């Protein structure tokens, strides 16, 4: 086995890195995950994730974690409504969508990011994840790398996998290619105890998702675990908007004034989002990796997930691609017919092509969802009259 007696370091304990750690441990490999979060209780930001049968769920099946997934997903959270700025419902699948339909490729169950991390963590051998370990730099040593962590300590690994997300510090060791700005900014908010703090929005949401479309701007809401609601105000803006034209993200009065002006033709019910959201809200400029990227493969370093191919979230593919990367990389590394370098090259070639197709779909969806006629576009997309 190629990985016998090799020490593997995965940098980043997101869904991609942890899935890979689990799949490699099933092969008997020696794996450590270095994660900058202080411990396993660190709050995982972001909306729930819908896992797709052929990618995210396929990786969990291979990892033997489907029972754990079924015990932790959020039935009904994938039910969607499409609305206009007046909160008029134009499409809803609440009435006929089944809450559990595993095996149907169109069933995309939602899971809270924290719950997914917990499932993966609990499946790993004890002490696999080294918490509070921020990757700082690395230098070549022997056949592998000497990694320096944020506290100055050093660890050696024969094979390093960059799973450290969109702002990867390891990516430059493989390529200079950088992501481009998509022209869209999403302001992310979260509401705790939503049933009592945001009763009108909570009743509107009905435990599922809302996509409300105006002209070149929208609101995307989703039920999270523990009676939380996550939401995004998503709109087109110049790249420097965050620093020059945005509101004060930690100041409620400033945020509300900005929202009422920016979304001036939207019904008052949406104000509740900014009246009660936790502060600060987080501005997320949406980036995408070039679709034609490639780099010379190395025998001791590769990457997966957002580090390799960050893309806009408008096709719900990001986490699914990250987990499928983990599945395919683990399979390539297990092949008895190739060297380590050949395995990594085969993985990267396929991964770049697959991710480019998903990124193209995500960019196209982003344009459609932020067009002047976004509501009509989305109703046609969802097959509504
Ligand atoms: C606004 C928004 C909404 C999204 N919505 C969806 C969606 O609905 N569906 C979907 O599929 N995807 C969505 N995504 C994308 C999705 O979050 C990512 O594609 C997915 O999390 C990628 O997984 P990953 O494991 O590659 O990286 P990440 O989840 O980013 O994990 C990276 C890990 O590395 C750690 N790390 C970072 N730097 C270091 C360092 N220097 N040292 C050590 N550790 C480090 C981080 O703490 C983190 O734990 C969204 C993204 C955004 C921005």
């Amino acid at each position: 086995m190629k990985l016998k007696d090799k020490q593997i370091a995965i940098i980043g304990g997101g869904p991609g890195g942890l899935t890979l750690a689990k799949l490699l441990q099933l092969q008997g490999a020696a794996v450590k995950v270095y994660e900058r979060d202080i411990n396993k209780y660190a709050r995982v930001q972001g909306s729930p994730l819908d896992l797709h049968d052929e990618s995210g769920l396929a990786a969990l099946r291979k990892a033997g974690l489907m029972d754990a997934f079924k015990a932790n997903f959020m039935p009904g959270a994938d039910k969607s409504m499409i609305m206009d700025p007046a909160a008029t419902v134009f499409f809803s699948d609440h009435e006929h969508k089944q809450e559990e339909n595993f095996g149907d490729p169109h069933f995309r169950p939602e899971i809270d990011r924290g719950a997914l991390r917990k499932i993966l963590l609990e499946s790993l051998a004890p002490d696999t994840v080294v918490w509070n370990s921020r990757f700082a730099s690395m230098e070549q040593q022997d056949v592998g790398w000497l990694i320096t962590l944020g506290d100055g300590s050093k660890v050696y690994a024969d094979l390093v996998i960059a799973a450290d997300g969109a702002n990867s510090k390891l990516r430059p060791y493989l390529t200079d290619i950088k992501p481009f700005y998509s022209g869209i900014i999403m302001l992310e908010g979260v509401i705790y105890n939503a049933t009592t703090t945001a009763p009108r929005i909570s009743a509107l949401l009905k435990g599922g998702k809302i996509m409300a479309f105006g002209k070149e701007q929208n609101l995307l809401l989703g039920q999270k675990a523990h009676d939380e609601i996550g939401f995004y105000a998503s709109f087109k803006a110049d790249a420097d908007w965050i620093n020059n034209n945005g509101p004060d993200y930690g100041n409620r009065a400033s945020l509300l004034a900005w929202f009422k002006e920016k979304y001036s033709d939207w019904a008052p019910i949406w104000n509740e989002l900014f009246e009660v959201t936790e502060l600060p809200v987080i501005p997320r400029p949406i980036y995408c990796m070039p679709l034609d990227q490639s780099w010379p493969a190395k025998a001791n370093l590769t990457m997966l997930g957002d580090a390799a191919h960050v893309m806009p979230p408008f096709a719900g593919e990001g986490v699914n691609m990250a987990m499928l990367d983990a599945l395919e990389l683990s399979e390539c590394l297990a092949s008895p017919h190739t060297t380590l370098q050949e395995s990594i090259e085969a993985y990267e070639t396929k991964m770049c092509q697959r991710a480019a197709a998903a990124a193209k779909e995500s960019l196209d969806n982003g344009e459609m969802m932020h067009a002047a006629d976004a509501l009509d576009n989305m109703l046609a997309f969802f097959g509504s009259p």
Side-chain angles (χ1 to χ4, degrees), residues 139-200:
E139 59 193 76
Q140 300 249 17
Q141 188 180 88
D142 304 327
V143 297
W145 298 91
L146 189 63
I147 299 166
T148 303
L149 300 171
D151 63 359
S153 62
K154 293 184 191 292
V155 288
Y156 172 81
D158 300 292
L159 172 59
V160 174
I161 289 120
D164 55 338
N167 299 312
S168 174
K169 297 284 180 293
L170 287 105
R171 186 179 163 89
Y173 293 84
L174 274 174
T175 174
D176 291 334
I177 301 170
K178 294 191 169 48
F180 62 90
Y181 174 56
S182 71
I184 295 167
I185 288 181
M186 302 177 84
L187 275 195
E188 179 178 342
V190 60
I191 298 169
Y192 296 156
N193 306 312
T195 318
T196 42
T197 55
R200 296 177 70 203

Side-chain angles (χ1 to χ4, degrees), residues 183-328:
I184 295 167
I185 288 181
M186 302 177 84
L187 275 195
E188 179 178 342
V190 60
I191 298 169
Y192 296 156
N193 306 312
T195 318
T196 42
T197 55
R200 296 177 70 203
I201 288 289
S202 201
L204 198 65
L205 189 60
K206 294 200 281 191
K209 292 182 184 189
I210 291 175
M211 295 177 277
F213 296 102
K215 289 184 173 43
E216 298 192 351
Q217 55 186 192
N218 58 57
L219 290 173
L220 308 172
L221 287 63
Q223 185 68 51
K224 300 177 68 167
H226 314 301
D227 195 22
E228 294 176 13
I229 290 175
F231 72 91
Y232 299 99
S234 186
F235 50 91
K236 289 194 164 177
D238 292 339
D240 64 354
W241 179 89
I242 288 181
N243 298 323
N244 298 334
N245 298 312
D248 178 343
Y249 305 112
N251 180 306
R252 195 168 306 282
S254 165
L255 266 176
L256 258 172
W258 167 82
F259 180 68
K260 286 178 181 174
E261 189 189 340
K262 177 83 181 164
Y263 285 68
S264 58
D265 51 352
W266 289 59
I269 186 172
W270 304 112
N271 294 346
E272 197 173 68
L273 295 169
F274 287 92
E275 283 163 359
V276 299
T277 181
E278 292 296 303
L279 297 178
V281 297
I282 303 169
R284 298 200 184 279
I286 301 301
Y287 282 85
C288 186
M289 221 42 101
L291 307 193
D292 58 352
Q293 60 169 345
S294 65
W295 54 86
K298 288 188 191 294
N300 55 11
L301 175 64
T302 187
M303 52 187 167
L304 60 67
D306 279 9
H309 47 61
V310 65
M311 64 185 71
F314 306 116
E317 287 288 2
V319 78
N320 288 289
M321 290 297 105
M323 294 172 75
L324 186 53
D325 291 347
L327 175 56
E328 291 185 353

Side-chain angles (χ1 to χ4, degrees), residues 12 14-16 35-36 113 117 133 135 163-164 232 305-306 313 316 318-319:
E35 166 56 49
R36 71 179 171 189
R113 287 174 189 253
R117 180 181 251 193
S133 299
F135 170 91
D164 55 338
Y232 299 99
D306 279 9
V319 78

Side-chain angles (χ1 to χ4, degrees), residues 95-172:
E95 290 70 32
H96 55 264
K97 198 165 198 171
Q98 282 181 276
E99 297 213 328
E100 182 168 334
N101 206 4
F102 286 97
D104 179 340
H106 300 296
F107 179 50
R108 296 181 160 185
E110 299 269 342
I111 187 161
D112 205 66
R113 287 174 189 253
L116 180 60
R117 180 181 251 193
K118 190 161 179 283
I119 289 171
L120 290 163
L121 285 175
E122 287 176 354
S123 77
L124 296 172
D127 301 324
T128 301
V129 179
V130 188
W131 296 99
N132 201 12
S133 299
R134 179 186 291 271
F135 170 91
S137 63
M138 63 185 185
E139 59 193 76
Q140 300 249 17
Q141 188 180 88
D142 304 327
V143 297
W145 298 91
L146 189 63
I147 299 166
T148 303
L149 300 171
D151 63 359
S153 62
K154 293 184 191 292
V155 288
Y156 172 81
D158 300 292
L159 172 59
V160 174
I161 289 120
D164 55 338
N167 299 312
S168 174
K169 297 284 180 293
L170 287 105
R171 186 179 163 89

